[in-house]
């Protein structure tokens, strides 16, 4: 496979220079970062979320966990992750499980964690599990120009939680559970 068509067209439309890092096919973004020798804090991970109002793409560093409490506070919405099988319906030109962080290319609103602006280069999976795309941070911010920004993630390195406090401390990183059991369609 190659860059997803929507990703390639979006990069070309915005005239953003990028480089492709080919690596062995991987099953996870963590494996891709390791295979391409890219620091995890410079890899943008996209998490598709939903609630009764629709979908949203949260973009955060691979080295971070999504903070659902911060997300709910910022959006005033209770979002939950979209199952991989449902993601495939929105990202039809991507390999299963590979979600590019360029939500606008797919007509999806984006919320980006502020910490991604701290690096000179940003890398992301372009819909193919055997490559990463690298672009300048300024260009990445340009591509996500309409995105909302905020602190929605916490670095995993800072999560030194004593075992006795783990259930309470990790609550922020666990999506809320719906009591009704009703499924929300995309």
């Amino acid at each position: 496979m190659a860059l997803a068509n929507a990703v390639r067209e979006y990069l070309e439309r915005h005239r953003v220079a990028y480089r492709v890092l080919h690596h062995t096919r991987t099953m996870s973004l963590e494996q891709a970062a390791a295979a391409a020798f890219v620091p995890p804090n410079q890899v943008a991970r996209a998490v598709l979320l939903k609630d009764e109002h629709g979908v949203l793409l949260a973009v955060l560093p691979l080295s971070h966990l999504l903070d659902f409490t911060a997300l709910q506070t910022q959006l005033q919405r209770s979002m939950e992750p979209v199952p991989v099988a449902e993601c495939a319906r929105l990202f039809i030109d991507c390999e299963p499980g590979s979600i590019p962080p360029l939500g606008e290319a797919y007509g999806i609103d984006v919320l980006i964690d502020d910490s991604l602006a701290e690096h000179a280069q940003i890398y992301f999976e372009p819909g193919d599990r055997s490559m990463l795309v690298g672009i300048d941070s300024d260009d990445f911010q340009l591509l996500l120009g309409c995105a909302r920004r905020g602190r929605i993630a916490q670095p995993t390195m800072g999560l030194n939680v004593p075992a006795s406090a783990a259930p309470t401390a990790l609550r922020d990183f666990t999506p809320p559970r719906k009591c009704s059991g009703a499924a929300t369609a995309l």
Side-chain angles (χ1 to χ4, degrees):
M1 202 172 174
L3 270 72
N5 287 333
V7 171
R8 184 183 39 75
E9 291 169 6
Y10 193 71
L11 292 170
E12 289 173 1
R13 184 169 54 245
H14 286 85
R15 295 189 169 108
V16 169
Y18 62 92
R19 65 187 179 117
V20 176
L21 301 177
H22 293 276
H23 57 77
T24 57
R25 183 159 307 286
T26 60
M27 297 304 295
S28 72
L29 197 51
E30 291 83 2
Q31 291 172 347
F37 303 102
V38 175
N41 61 345
Q42 292 181 322
V43 177
R45 173 175 36 164
V47 179
L48 189 63
L49 303 167
K50 69 178 178 179
D51 67 2
E52 63 274 2
H53 301 292
V55 296
L56 175 79
L57 196 65
V59 179
L60 58 145
L62 180 59
S63 60
H64 287 51
L65 288 175
L66 190 57
D67 184 337
F68 282 91
T69 300
L71 186 70
Q72 184 171 2
T73 300
Q74 184 165 339
L75 297 176
Q76 296 300 302
R77 294 170 67 179
S78 183
M79 308 288 295
E80 63 183 34
V82 174
V84 173
E86 291 180 44
C87 293
R89 293 194 310 225
L90 292 173
F91 297 93
I92 59 172
D93 60 347
C94 299
E95 290 184 33
S98 179
I99 301 175
L102 308 177
E104 190 174 311
Y106 293 90
I108 302 170
D109 290 335
V110 175
L111 176 60
I112 183 172
D113 187 72
D114 288 334
S115 63
L116 277 170
E118 298 169 1
H119 306 286
Q121 285 281 307
I122 301 294
Y123 299 86
F124 62 89
E125 217 171 51
D128 184 312
R129 292 207 169 262
S130 64
M131 64 178 65
L132 292 176
V133 166
I135 61 175
D136 289 337
S137 181
D138 290 342
D139 286 336
F140 187 71
Q141 298 301 322
L142 171 79
L143 291 172
L144 298 174
C146 294
R148 293 177 68 173
R149 287 162 169 68
R151 287 287 177 180
I152 58 166
Q154 295 294 323
T156 56
M157 292 292 285
L159 294 178
N160 295 326
V161 179
S164 61
T168 304
L170 296 179
R171 181 177 44 230
D172 292 345
F173 307 104
T174 305
R177 302 213 188 267
K178 303 284 190 233
C179 295
S180 67
T184 304
L186 289 178

